[in-house]
Amino acid sequence: MNSVMATHSPYFLELEMTRFVANGEIAHALEVMGHINTFKRATLASDPTRSLKNSLICNCTFLARAAISGGVPSEIAFAKSDELIYIMEEADEHTLKGLEREHLIEFVTIVKNHNTAGFSKPIKDVISYITKNLSEELSLSVLASVSGHNANYLSTIFRKETGIKLSEYITARRVEDAKFLLCHTDMQLSEIANHYRFSSQSHFTQRFSKHTGMTPFIYRKSLGGIRNGK
């Protein structure tokens, strides 16, 4: 079934959206939304405006649950969902068309704020820098400069506040980011490994397997993304 006839996007795209919202990754979440919106929206009422509202309500509920899976307390996520649905009900058709993107940004922002709420400013700054520069050099000296502290002190407080070593955090974030390229591009594994500064394709495969329980090749196949598996 092609994108003109389909009324529901592939399930793997919903899984991807859930993961990116839960991880607070707005750029990738917006890109997945763009892919989802290439499929014809389901008709949920005879009146077009009512149908669109119903669709956005479903999406809002989905985003709330994705935020909860990212660690946001359910009462906060559902309160935001209720607030957005109320606003949506009062909106005209023209306004409705821009709300889906706004809702996504709202929930991702809630996740990001919640996930770093208990961290000190230096750690928040380091995490923000890592998120924006996953394909760049992320040496301890570079991150120490970002934090405003020396390398040893940064390593100590990062592990104390986050519960994970700085190097392990960087690897985990790179693996999560690599999932997007595996699913949505035809980049070869060696290219992805190089992009995220793994020492080799085998090193990338080893670290990816440790974090996900499957190889990059199997992951790419399992979600029905690019099928050449290179």
Side-chain angles (χ1 to χ4, degrees):
M1 184 177 290
N2 60 37
S3 61
V4 175
M5 297 295 293
T7 57
H8 294 283
S9 58
Y11 180 54
F12 83 87
L13 287 177
E14 293 187 15
L15 293 177
E16 287 284 275
M17 179 67 82
T18 297
R19 180 164 63 85
F20 290 133
V21 172
N23 289 339
E25 298 182 50
I26 185 60
H28 285 165
L30 285 170
E31 190 163 353
V32 172
M33 175 177 281
H35 290 181
I36 289 174
N37 285 339
T38 63
F39 293 84
K40 183 179 179 182
R41 192 183 295 271
T43 300
L44 301 176
S46 57
D47 176 68
T49 300
R50 181 69 261 167
S51 180
L52 179 56
K53 286 184 178 181
N54 289 346
S55 178
L56 293 176
I57 288 171
C58 292
N59 186 61
C60 208
T61 303
F62 166 79
L63 291 174
R65 295 187 182 281
I68 292 169
S69 71
V72 175
S74 58
E75 61 271 20
I76 294 177
F78 286 133
K80 173 55 68 173
S81 177
D82 291 345
E83 173 193 333
L84 296 177
I85 289 172
Y86 181 85
I87 293 172
M88 188 193 315
E89 285 293 341
E90 301 299 312
D92 57 30
E93 185 175 3
H94 176 74
T95 303
L96 284 172
K97 293 180 179 179
L99 290 183
E100 188 173 45
R101 188 177 190 278
E102 291 183 20
H103 292 172
L104 176 58
I105 293 172
E106 286 255 20
F107 279 106
V108 172
T109 300
I110 290 173
V111 171
K112 291 175 68 175
N113 290 341
H114 175 79
N115 288 346
T116 61
F119 297 158
S120 61
K121 185 178 184 303
I123 299 306
K124 288 182 179 180
D125 290 344
V126 167
I127 288 175
S128 177
Y129 184 87
I130 290 171
T131 300
K132 295 174 183 176
N133 296 277
L134 286 171
S135 63
E136 304 299 324
E137 180 184 1
L138 293 173
S139 66
L140 185 55
S141 60
V142 168
L143 297 177
S145 177
V146 170
S147 73
H149 295 290
N150 66 54
N152 288 337
Y153 183 72
L154 171 61
S155 294
T156 299
I157 63 171
F158 190 93
R159 185 165 189 176
K160 181 179 180 180
E161 293 189 24
T162 67
I164 186 174
K165 291 181 179 179
L166 182 54
S167 59
E168 292 175 352
Y169 179 82
I170 293 170
T171 298
R173 290 307 304 270
R174 282 174 166 164
V175 166
E176 285 298 310
D177 222 51
K179 288 179 179 179
F180 183 85
L181 296 185
L182 287 167
C183 193
H184 298 286
T185 77
D186 60 358
M187 288 177 67
Q188 296 187 16
L189 299 188
S190 59
E191 293 177 301
I192 296 175
N194 184 63
H195 180 74
Y196 290 110
R197 295 179 176 263
F198 289 94
S199 59
S200 64
Q201 181 178 325
S202 61
H203 181 226
F204 168 57
T205 297
Q206 179 186 46
R207 303 303 294 175
F208 190 96
S209 299
K210 180 179 179 180
H211 280 271
T212 67
M214 65 181 78
T215 67
F217 177 86
I218 296 299
Y219 180 83
R220 173 173 271 173
K221 290 287 188 178
S222 70
L223 290 182
I226 300 301
R227 289 181 167 77
N228 58 24
K230 295 180 180 178

